[in-house]
Amino acid sequence: MGKIKVHRATPSLDMTPMVDLAFLLVTFFMLTTTFADTPVVVVDIPKSESEIILPDRDRMIITVAKDGRVFFDMDNQFNRMEMLKNMGEKYGVTFTEQELRAFAVMNEFGVPIRSLPQLLDLHPDERKTVVQNGIPSDSVNNELADWVVYARLTNPSKLRIAVKGDRETNYKVVKQVIETLINRKILRFNLITGLEAEAPKPKS
Amino acid sequence: MAEVSQNSGNEKTGKVRSKKMSTKIDMTPMVDLAFLLLTFFILTTSFNKPTIMELVMPDNTGTTQPVNKDNVLNLVLGENNKLFWFEGLGPGVNETDYSKDGVRKILLSHRQNKNLMVLIKPQDNSKYENIVDVLDEMEITAIQRYAIMEYSTDDKAIVNAAIVNR
C-alpha cells in the first residue's frame, strides 16, 4: 500500500526504420555518385539558363583556360587509343603500347603531340605537377584541328562537341577554337555552362 | 550408451538440452558503417551537373545573303564587360550592360520587328562570359535570327566615333 510503482520505459528503441532509410540513402548515393577526376586545369564556367544536361558519354570537350591554354578531352578508352594511333601516324610520333594505355585512361591533356610521349611516360601522380602549355590551335600550327578530325573519325555519328571556356577567357582564343571547328565543317556544337542561380547578380 | 555427450553439465540429468542462442545480433557496427558511408556519399555527390547551350554557326563557304540595315541590331561586346548597341549602321551608339534591365529590355523592345537580325560582334578582348550571356539572352527573349560576327573595322569606326563624341 502507498507504494508508488515507477513505470520504467525500456531504454531501447526500435531503430529498424531508420536503418532501412539509411541503407536506402547509401544505395542511392552510391549509385548516383560519379567520382570527379581531378581536373588538369580549373575552369570557372559561365552561367546560363539552359537546362540541357551535358551527356556523360560520346562527348568531346575542348577546354579553354583562363590564360588561353587549350585542352582536349574525349571519353571512351578504345576510341582514345585509336585516335592517338592515327594522330601519331600523321605527325610521325610512335607511341608504345604502354603509352597508348596510359593515354586511354587519362583525362584532358594540353601539350603539343611531340611532347605527349614524355607526358605519358610519367606516373599519373607526377603528371599532375607538370604544367601543360596547351595544344597549339593558331593558324600556323593547328594541332587541335587534327585532334578534332581524328576524334570524330572514331565516333562519327554520335560524338557531341562541347567547348568549355572560363568566364574570364578572352574571346580571341575562343574565336580561334570556334573557327577551327567551323573550318572542319563542325557547325553545330555546345558551350558548357553552369545553371544560373535564381537571381542573376548585377554586373558592373 | 552410444550417445556422445555434448556437455558435461547434461550428464546429471541425462537430458540433451539444445542450447538456445539469442536470435538477435548486435547490428551497431553495421549501422555505424552505413551511416559513415551515407555521410561520405552525401558529401561527395555533386548535383549541379554542367549544362550545355546549343550553338549553330553558319558555314563560312556558303553564300551570303544581304540583310536590310533597318532590321539589324548590332551588339558590340567590348572589354571590361562593356556592351554597346546600335541599329543598322549607326550613328547613335549606346552603352548598356548584361543585366536583366539592360540588354534584355533593348532586345524585347526590338522584337516587334519580325525581320529583326541581331548581329553579335565580340571584340577580341571581351570575355567569354559576355558572349555566353548574350547568347543566353537570345534564348530568353526567343529571338531566332542572330549571328556571331567578326568585329570589323567598319564597326570599330562607328563605335569609336560615338565614344569620341560623348
Side-chain angles (χ1 to χ4, degrees):
Chain A
M1 286 239 196
K3 244 187 182 177
I4 300 163
K5 251 190 190 166
V6 182
H7 181 74
R8 277 218 185 146
T10 48
S12 75
L13 153 105
D14 188 10
M15 285 200 284
T16 323
M18 186 187 71
V19 175
D20 285 355
L21 193 69
F23 271 102
L24 185 81
L25 288 173
V26 168
T27 324
F28 171 73
F29 281 109
M30 271 176 86
L31 294 179
T32 53
T33 298
T34 46
F35 287 99
D37 303 304
T38 43
V40 179
V41 58
V42 180
V43 173
D44 182 14
I45 52 177
K47 306 271 180 289
S48 84
E49 309 216 337
S50 169
E51 281 171 356
I52 314 165
I53 303 284
L54 178 72
D56 287 333
R57 295 171 64 196
D58 299 315
R59 65 181 193 190
M60 175 181 112
I61 297 176
I62 300 169
T63 306
V64 187
K66 198 173 173 175
D67 48 10
R69 290 177 298 159
V70 177
F71 294 79
F72 183 91
D73 191 17
M74 188 175 74
D75 70 331
N76 196 323
Q77 301 189 5
F78 297 105
N79 291 355
R80 286 181 72 109
M81 283 166 87
E82 196 187 322
M83 172 178 75
L84 187 64
K85 267 184 214 158
N86 293 337
M87 270 303 276
E89 269 171 37
K90 164 145 189 181
Y91 281 88
V93 184
T94 43
F95 294 96
T96 63
E97 196 60 32
Q98 272 149 348
E99 284 166 349
L100 283 171
R101 233 173 279 143
F103 182 76
V105 294
M106 82 185 223
N107 303 327
E108 54 200 342
F109 64 93
V111 290
I113 186 157
R114 295 198 196 288
S115 330
L116 200 52
Q118 250 175 340
L119 182 75
L120 293 174
D121 288 339
L122 294 175
H123 189 267
D125 290 334
E126 291 173 319
R127 230 178 267 152
K128 284 175 196 155
T129 59
V130 177
V131 178
Q132 304 189 15
N133 288 323
I135 299 168
S137 61
D138 48 23
S139 48
V140 183
N141 177 15
N142 199 336
E143 284 181 15
L144 180 71
D146 291 316
W147 282 112
V148 171
V149 168
Y150 285 111
R152 285 193 97 199
L153 281 179
T154 60
N155 190 358
S157 53
K158 286 196 214 137
L159 195 66
R160 244 173 205 274
I161 293 148
V163 177
K164 182 177 173 186
D166 192 285
R167 291 167 58 186
E168 299 290 312
T169 313
N170 266 352
Y171 176 67
K172 197 180 175 192
V173 193
V174 181
K175 184 169 77 178
Q176 256 175 30
V177 171
I178 292 178
E179 272 172 5
T180 304
L181 293 175
I182 293 175
N183 288 339
R184 292 295 175 279
K185 295 279 173 283
I186 298 164
L187 305 175
R188 184 181 279 273
F189 48 88
N190 303 295
L191 305 179
I192 297 184
T193 57
L195 208 54
E196 184 120 57
E198 282 303 303
K201 58 177 191 302
K203 295 197 179 73
S204 55
Chain B
M1 292 248 248
E3 233 180 74
V4 179
S5 64
Q6 292 180 313
N7 202 326
S8 58
N10 291 341
E11 275 171 42
K12 280 176 188 171
T13 53
K15 246 186 180 174
V16 180
R17 193 178 284 167
S18 67
K19 207 176 170 187
K20 272 204 179 157
M21 295 282 278
S22 164
T23 47
K24 284 186 180 166
I25 48 166
D26 188 7
M27 287 201 282
T28 323
M30 186 188 70
V31 174
D32 284 354
L33 192 70
F35 273 99
L36 185 81
L37 287 174
L38 180 61
T39 325
F40 171 72
F41 283 109
I42 286 180
L43 293 180
T44 51
T45 299
S46 60
F47 278 105
N48 47 347
K49 280 203 171 169
T51 54
I52 47 176
M53 287 168 82
E54 291 273 351
L55 183 59
V56 181
M57 298 292 283
D59 194 336
N60 54 3
T61 54
T63 50
T64 53
Q65 274 184 330
V67 189
N68 188 344
K69 75 175 168 66
D70 296 336
N71 296 329
V72 169
L73 173 67
N74 295 277
L75 297 176
V76 174
L77 322 185
E79 60 184 329
N80 297 328
N81 296 320
K82 282 196 175 113
L83 176 59
F84 303 99
W85 65 277
F86 58 94
E87 292 165 350
L89 297 170
V93 181
N94 298 294
E95 194 181 335
T96 181
D97 55 29
Y98 295 93
S99 69
K100 206 161 58 180
D101 300 320
V103 64
R104 196 175 299 173
K105 280 204 170 144
I106 293 156
L107 290 171
L108 288 173
S109 66
H110 283 80
R111 211 172 52 168
Q112 291 102 344
N113 184 349
K114 286 279 169 284
N115 297 319
L116 178 69
M117 179 81 193
V118 180
L119 302 182
I120 304 162
K121 295 171 176 172
Q123 292 179 10
D124 277 354
N125 46 16
S126 66
K127 299 273 176 266
Y128 174 67
E129 185 183 23
N130 300 152
I131 194 153
V132 170
D133 281 341
V134 168
L135 290 173
D136 202 27
E137 291 299 329
M138 294 296 154
E139 205 63 42
I140 293 166
T141 55
I143 288 175
Q144 302 293 324
R145 300 178 68 208
Y146 59 89
I148 300 172
M149 301 210 8
E150 192 77 18
Y151 179 62
S152 67
T153 43
D154 294 341
D155 299 319
K156 204 171 182 174
I158 295 168
V159 173
N160 283 348
I163 292 171
V164 170
N165 283 345
R166 198 169 294 162

Coordinates of all heavy atoms in Angstrom, one line a residue, chain B residues 15-73:
Chain B
K15 N 19.4 -35.4 -19.9 CA 18.6 -34.8 -20.9 C 19.5 -34.0 -21.9 O 20.4 -33.3 -21.4 CB 17.6 -33.9 -20.3 CG 16.2 -34.3 -20.5 CD 15.3 -33.2 -19.9 CE 13.8 -33.5 -20.0 NZ 13.1 -32.4 -19.3
V16 N 19.3 -34.1 -23.2 CA 20.0 -33.3 -24.1 C 19.3 -32.0 -24.3 O 18.2 -32.0 -24.8 CB 20.3 -34.0 -25.4 CG1 21.1 -33.1 -26.3 CG2 21.0 -35.3 -25.2
R17 N 19.8 -30.9 -23.8 CA 19.1 -29.7 -23.9 C 19.8 -28.8 -25.0 O 21.0 -28.6 -24.9 CB 19.1 -28.9 -22.6 CG 18.1 -27.8 -22.6 CD 18.2 -27.1 -21.2 NE 17.4 -27.9 -20.2 CZ 17.5 -27.6 -18.9 NH1 18.3 -26.7 -18.5 NH2 16.9 -28.3 -18.1
S18 N 19.0 -28.6 -26.1 CA 19.7 -27.8 -27.1 C 19.8 -26.4 -26.5 O 18.9 -25.8 -26.0 CB 18.8 -27.7 -28.4 OG 17.6 -27.1 -28.1
K19 N 21.0 -25.8 -26.8 CA 21.3 -24.5 -26.2 C 20.6 -23.5 -27.1 O 20.8 -23.5 -28.3 CB 22.8 -24.3 -26.3 CG 23.3 -23.4 -25.2 CD 24.8 -23.3 -25.3 CE 25.3 -22.2 -24.4 NZ 26.8 -22.0 -24.7
K20 N 19.8 -22.7 -26.5 CA 19.1 -21.6 -27.2 C 20.0 -20.4 -27.4 O 20.3 -19.8 -26.4 CB 17.8 -21.3 -26.6 CG 16.7 -22.2 -27.1 CD 15.3 -21.6 -26.9 CE 14.2 -22.5 -27.4 NZ 13.0 -22.2 -26.8
M21 N 20.3 -20.1 -28.6 CA 21.0 -18.8 -28.8 C 20.0 -17.7 -29.1 O 19.0 -17.9 -29.6 CB 21.9 -19.0 -30.1 CG 23.0 -20.1 -29.9 SD 24.4 -19.5 -29.0 CE 25.2 -18.6 -30.3
S22 N 20.5 -16.6 -28.7 CA 19.6 -15.4 -29.0 C 19.6 -15.2 -30.5 O 20.6 -15.3 -31.2 CB 20.2 -14.2 -28.3 OG 19.6 -13.1 -28.8
T23 N 18.4 -14.9 -31.1 CA 18.4 -14.6 -32.5 C 18.8 -13.2 -32.8 O 18.9 -12.8 -34.0 CB 16.9 -14.8 -33.0 OG1 16.0 -14.2 -32.1 CG2 16.6 -16.3 -33.1
K24 N 18.9 -12.4 -31.8 CA 19.3 -11.0 -32.1 C 20.8 -10.9 -32.2 O 21.5 -11.4 -31.4 CB 18.8 -10.1 -31.0 CG 17.3 -9.9 -31.1 CD 16.9 -8.9 -30.1 CE 15.4 -8.7 -30.2 NZ 14.8 -8.0 -29.0
I25 N 21.2 -10.2 -33.2 CA 22.6 -9.9 -33.3 C 22.8 -8.4 -33.2 O 22.0 -7.6 -33.5 CB 23.3 -10.4 -34.6 CG1 22.4 -9.9 -35.8 CG2 23.5 -11.9 -34.6 CD1 23.2 -10.1 -37.1
D26 N 24.0 -8.1 -32.7 CA 24.3 -6.7 -32.5 C 24.6 -6.0 -33.8 O 25.6 -6.3 -34.5 CB 25.5 -6.5 -31.6 CG 25.7 -5.1 -31.2 OD1 24.8 -4.3 -31.5 OD2 26.7 -4.8 -30.5
M27 N 23.7 -5.1 -34.3 CA 23.9 -4.5 -35.6 C 24.6 -3.2 -35.5 O 24.7 -2.5 -36.5 CB 22.5 -4.4 -36.3 CG 22.0 -5.7 -36.8 SD 20.8 -5.5 -38.0 CE 19.4 -5.1 -37.1
T28 N 25.0 -2.8 -34.3 CA 25.5 -1.4 -34.2 C 26.7 -1.2 -35.1 O 26.7 -0.1 -35.8 CB 25.9 -1.2 -32.7 OG1 25.0 -1.9 -31.9 CG2 26.0 0.2 -32.4
P29 N 27.7 -2.1 -35.2 CA 28.8 -1.7 -36.1 C 28.4 -1.6 -37.6 O 28.8 -0.7 -38.3 CB 29.7 -2.9 -36.0 CG 29.3 -3.6 -34.7 CD 27.9 -3.4 -34.6
M30 N 27.4 -2.4 -38.0 CA 27.0 -2.3 -39.4 C 26.3 -1.0 -39.6 O 26.5 -0.3 -40.6 CB 26.0 -3.4 -39.7 CG 25.6 -3.5 -41.1 SD 24.3 -4.7 -41.4 CE 22.9 -4.0 -40.6
V31 N 25.4 -0.6 -38.7 CA 24.7 0.7 -38.8 C 25.7 1.8 -38.8 O 25.6 2.8 -39.5 CB 23.7 0.8 -37.7 CG1 23.0 2.2 -37.7 CG2 22.6 -0.3 -37.8
D32 N 26.7 1.7 -37.9 CA 27.8 2.8 -37.9 C 28.4 2.9 -39.3 O 28.5 4.0 -39.8 CB 28.9 2.4 -36.9 CG 28.4 2.6 -35.5 OD1 27.3 3.1 -35.3 OD2 29.1 2.2 -34.5
L33 N 28.7 1.8 -39.8 CA 29.4 1.8 -41.2 C 28.4 2.4 -42.2 O 28.8 3.2 -43.0 CB 29.8 0.4 -41.5 CG 30.7 0.3 -42.7 CD1 32.1 0.8 -42.4 CD2 30.8 -1.1 -43.2
A34 N 27.2 2.0 -42.1 CA 26.2 2.5 -43.1 C 26.1 4.0 -43.0 O 26.1 4.7 -44.0 CB 24.8 1.9 -42.8
F35 N 26.1 4.5 -41.8 CA 26.0 6.0 -41.7 C 27.3 6.7 -42.1 O 27.2 7.8 -42.7 CB 25.6 6.4 -40.3 CG 24.2 6.4 -40.0 CD1 23.5 5.3 -39.4 CD2 23.4 7.5 -40.5 CE1 22.2 5.4 -39.3 CE2 22.1 7.5 -40.3 CZ 21.4 6.4 -39.7
L36 N 28.4 6.0 -41.9 CA 29.6 6.6 -42.3 C 29.6 6.7 -43.9 O 29.9 7.8 -44.4 CB 30.8 5.7 -41.9 CG 32.2 6.3 -42.2 CD1 32.6 7.3 -41.2 CD2 33.2 5.2 -42.3
L37 N 29.2 5.6 -44.5 CA 29.1 5.7 -46.0 C 28.1 6.7 -46.5 O 28.4 7.4 -47.4 CB 28.7 4.3 -46.5 CG 29.8 3.2 -46.4 CD1 29.2 1.9 -46.8 CD2 30.9 3.5 -47.3
L38 N 27.0 6.8 -45.8 CA 26.0 7.7 -46.1 C 26.5 9.1 -46.1 O 26.4 9.9 -47.1 CB 24.8 7.6 -45.2 CG 23.6 8.5 -45.4 CD1 23.0 8.3 -46.8 CD2 22.6 8.3 -44.4
T39 N 27.2 9.5 -45.0 CA 27.8 10.8 -44.9 C 28.8 11.0 -46.0 O 28.8 12.1 -46.7 CB 28.5 10.9 -43.6 OG1 27.8 10.2 -42.6 CG2 28.6 12.3 -43.1
F40 N 29.6 10.0 -46.3 CA 30.6 10.2 -47.3 C 30.0 10.5 -48.7 O 30.4 11.4 -49.4 CB 31.5 8.9 -47.4 CG 32.4 8.9 -48.5 CD1 33.6 9.7 -48.5 CD2 32.2 8.1 -49.6 CE1 34.4 9.7 -49.6 CE2 33.1 8.0 -50.7 CZ 34.2 8.8 -50.6
F41 N 29.0 9.7 -49.0 CA 28.4 9.8 -50.4 C 27.6 11.1 -50.5 O 27.6 11.8 -51.5 CB 27.6 8.6 -50.7 CG 28.4 7.5 -51.2 CD1 28.5 6.4 -50.4 CD2 29.1 7.5 -52.4 CE1 29.3 5.3 -50.8 CE2 29.9 6.5 -52.8 CZ 30.0 5.3 -52.0
I42 N 27.0 11.5 -49.4 CA 26.3 12.8 -49.4 C 27.2 13.9 -49.7 O 27.0 14.8 -50.5 CB 25.5 13.1 -48.1 CG1 24.3 12.1 -48.0 CG2 25.0 14.5 -48.0 CD1 23.5 12.3 -46.8
L43 N 28.4 13.9 -49.0 CA 29.3 15.0 -49.1 C 30.0 15.0 -50.5 O 30.4 16.1 -50.9 CB 30.3 14.9 -48.0 CG 29.8 15.2 -46.6 CD1 30.9 15.1 -45.6 CD2 29.1 16.6 -46.5
T44 N 30.2 13.8 -51.1 CA 31.0 13.8 -52.3 C 30.1 14.0 -53.5 O 30.5 14.3 -54.6 CB 31.8 12.5 -52.5 OG1 30.9 11.4 -52.3 CG2 32.9 12.5 -51.5
T45 N 28.8 13.8 -53.4 CA 27.9 13.9 -54.6 C 27.8 15.4 -55.0 O 27.6 16.3 -54.1 CB 26.5 13.4 -54.2 OG1 26.6 12.0 -53.9 CG2 25.6 13.5 -55.4
S46 N 27.8 15.6 -56.2 CA 27.6 17.0 -56.7 C 26.4 16.9 -57.6 O 26.3 16.1 -58.6 CB 28.8 17.5 -57.5 OG 29.1 16.7 -58.6
F47 N 25.4 17.7 -57.3 CA 24.2 17.6 -58.1 C 24.1 18.6 -59.3 O 23.4 18.4 -60.2 CB 22.9 17.9 -57.2 CG 22.5 16.6 -56.4 CD1 22.8 16.5 -55.1 CD2 21.9 15.6 -57.1 CE1 22.4 15.4 -54.4 CE2 21.5 14.5 -56.4 CZ 21.8 14.4 -55.1
N48 N 24.9 19.7 -59.1 CA 24.9 20.7 -60.2 C 25.7 20.2 -61.4 O 26.9 20.6 -61.5 CB 25.3 22.0 -59.7 CG 26.6 22.0 -58.9 OD1 27.0 20.9 -58.5 ND2 27.2 23.1 -58.6
K49 N 25.2 19.4 -62.2 CA 25.9 18.9 -63.4 C 25.9 20.1 -64.4 O 25.0 20.9 -64.4 CB 25.1 17.8 -64.0 CG 25.4 16.5 -63.3 CD 25.1 15.3 -64.2 CE 25.6 14.0 -63.6 NZ 25.1 12.9 -64.4
P50 N 27.0 20.2 -65.1 CA 27.0 21.3 -66.1 C 26.0 21.1 -67.2 O 25.6 20.0 -67.6 CB 28.5 21.2 -66.7 CG 28.9 19.8 -66.3 CD 28.2 19.4 -65.1
T51 N 25.5 22.2 -67.6 CA 24.5 22.2 -68.7 C 25.2 22.7 -70.0 O 26.3 23.1 -70.0 CB 23.4 23.1 -68.4 OG1 23.9 24.4 -68.1 CG2 22.6 22.6 -67.2
I52 N 24.5 22.5 -71.1 CA 25.1 23.0 -72.4 C 24.1 23.9 -73.1 O 22.9 23.8 -72.9 CB 25.5 21.8 -73.3 CG1 24.3 20.8 -73.3 CG2 26.7 21.1 -72.8 CD1 24.5 19.6 -74.3
M53 N 24.7 24.7 -73.9 CA 23.9 25.6 -74.8 C 24.2 25.1 -76.2 O 25.4 24.9 -76.6 CB 24.4 27.0 -74.7 CG 24.0 27.7 -73.4 SD 24.9 29.3 -73.3 CE 23.9 30.3 -74.3
E54 N 23.2 25.0 -77.0 CA 23.4 24.7 -78.4 C 23.8 25.9 -79.2 O 23.3 27.0 -78.9 CB 22.1 24.2 -79.0 CG 21.6 22.8 -78.4 CD 22.2 21.7 -79.2 OE1 22.8 21.9 -80.3 OE2 22.1 20.5 -78.8
L55 N 24.8 25.7 -80.0 CA 25.2 26.8 -80.9 C 25.4 26.3 -82.3 O 26.1 25.3 -82.5 CB 26.5 27.4 -80.3 CG 27.1 28.6 -81.0 CD1 26.1 29.8 -80.9 CD2 28.4 29.0 -80.3
V56 N 24.7 27.0 -83.2 CA 24.9 26.6 -84.6 C 25.5 27.8 -85.4 O 25.0 28.9 -85.3 CB 23.5 26.2 -85.2 CG1 23.7 25.8 -86.7 CG2 22.9 25.1 -84.4
M57 N 26.6 27.5 -86.0 CA 27.3 28.6 -86.7 C 27.1 28.4 -88.2 O 26.9 27.3 -88.7 CB 28.8 28.5 -86.4 CG 29.2 28.7 -85.0 SD 28.9 30.4 -84.4 CE 30.3 31.2 -85.1
P58 N 27.1 29.5 -88.9 CA 26.9 29.4 -90.4 C 28.2 28.8 -91.0 O 29.3 29.0 -90.5 CB 26.7 30.8 -90.8 CG 27.3 31.6 -89.8 CD 27.3 30.9 -88.5
D59 N 28.0 28.2 -92.2 CA 29.2 27.7 -92.9 C 29.9 28.9 -93.6 O 29.2 29.7 -94.2 CB 28.6 26.7 -94.0 CG 29.7 25.9 -94.6 OD1 30.9 26.4 -94.6 OD2 29.4 24.8 -95.2
N60 N 31.2 29.0 -93.4 CA 31.9 30.1 -94.0 C 32.1 30.1 -95.5 O 32.6 31.0 -96.1 CB 33.2 30.4 -93.2 CG 34.1 29.2 -93.2 OD1 33.7 28.1 -93.8 ND2 35.2 29.3 -92.5
T61 N 31.8 28.9 -96.1 CA 32.0 28.8 -97.5 C 30.6 29.0 -98.3 O 30.6 29.1 -99.5 CB 32.5 27.5 -97.9 OG1 31.7 26.5 -97.4 CG2 33.9 27.3 -97.4
G62 N 29.6 29.1 -97.5 CA 28.2 29.2 -98.1 C 28.0 30.6 -98.7 O 28.8 31.5 -98.6
T63 N 26.9 30.7 -99.4 CA 26.6 32.0 -100.0 C 26.1 33.0 -98.9 O 25.5 32.5 -97.9 CB 25.4 31.9 -101.0 OG1 24.4 31.1 -100.4 CG2 25.9 31.2 -102.3
T64 N 26.3 34.2 -99.1 CA 25.9 35.2 -98.1 C 24.6 35.9 -98.6 O 24.5 36.1 -99.8 CB 27.0 36.2 -97.8 OG1 27.4 36.8 -99.0 CG2 28.1 35.6 -97.1
Q65 N 23.8 36.3 -97.7 CA 22.6 37.0 -98.1 C 22.6 38.4 -97.5 O 22.9 38.5 -96.3 CB 21.3 36.3 -97.5 CG 20.9 35.2 -98.4 CD 19.6 34.5 -97.9 OE1 19.4 34.5 -96.7 NE2 18.8 34.0 -98.8
P66 N 22.3 39.4 -98.3 CA 22.3 40.7 -97.7 C 21.1 40.9 -96.8 O 20.1 40.3 -97.0 CB 22.2 41.6 -98.9 CG 21.6 40.8 -100.0 CD 22.0 39.4 -99.7
V67 N 21.3 41.7 -95.7 CA 20.3 42.0 -94.8 C 20.0 43.5 -94.9 O 20.9 44.3 -95.0 CB 20.7 41.6 -93.3 CG1 19.6 41.7 -92.4 CG2 21.3 40.3 -93.3
N68 N 18.7 43.8 -94.8 CA 18.3 45.2 -94.8 C 18.8 45.8 -93.5 O 18.6 45.3 -92.4 CB 16.8 45.2 -94.9 CG 16.3 46.7 -95.0 OD1 17.0 47.6 -94.8 ND2 15.0 46.8 -95.4
K69 N 19.5 47.0 -93.6 CA 20.1 47.5 -92.4 C 19.1 48.1 -91.4 O 19.4 48.2 -90.3 CB 21.1 48.6 -92.8 CG 20.5 50.0 -93.3 CD 21.6 51.0 -93.5 CE 21.2 52.2 -94.2 NZ 20.2 53.0 -93.4
D70 N 17.8 48.3 -91.9 CA 16.8 48.7 -90.9 C 16.4 47.6 -89.9 O 15.9 47.9 -88.9 CB 15.6 49.2 -91.7 CG 15.9 50.4 -92.6 OD1 16.8 51.1 -92.2 OD2 15.2 50.6 -93.6
N71 N 16.7 46.4 -90.3 CA 16.3 45.3 -89.5 C 17.4 44.8 -88.5 O 17.3 43.8 -87.8 CB 15.8 44.1 -90.3 CG 14.6 44.4 -91.1 OD1 13.8 45.2 -90.7 ND2 14.5 43.8 -92.3
V72 N 18.5 45.5 -88.6 CA 19.7 45.0 -87.9 C 19.9 45.7 -86.6 O 19.8 46.9 -86.5 CB 21.0 45.2 -88.8 CG1 22.2 44.9 -88.0 CG2 20.9 44.3 -90.0
L73 N 20.2 44.9 -85.6 CA 20.6 45.4 -84.3 C 21.9 44.8 -84.0 O 22.1 43.6 -84.0 CB 19.6 44.9 -83.2 CG 19.9 45.3 -81.8 CD1 19.9 46.8 -81.5 CD2 19.0 44.6 -80.8

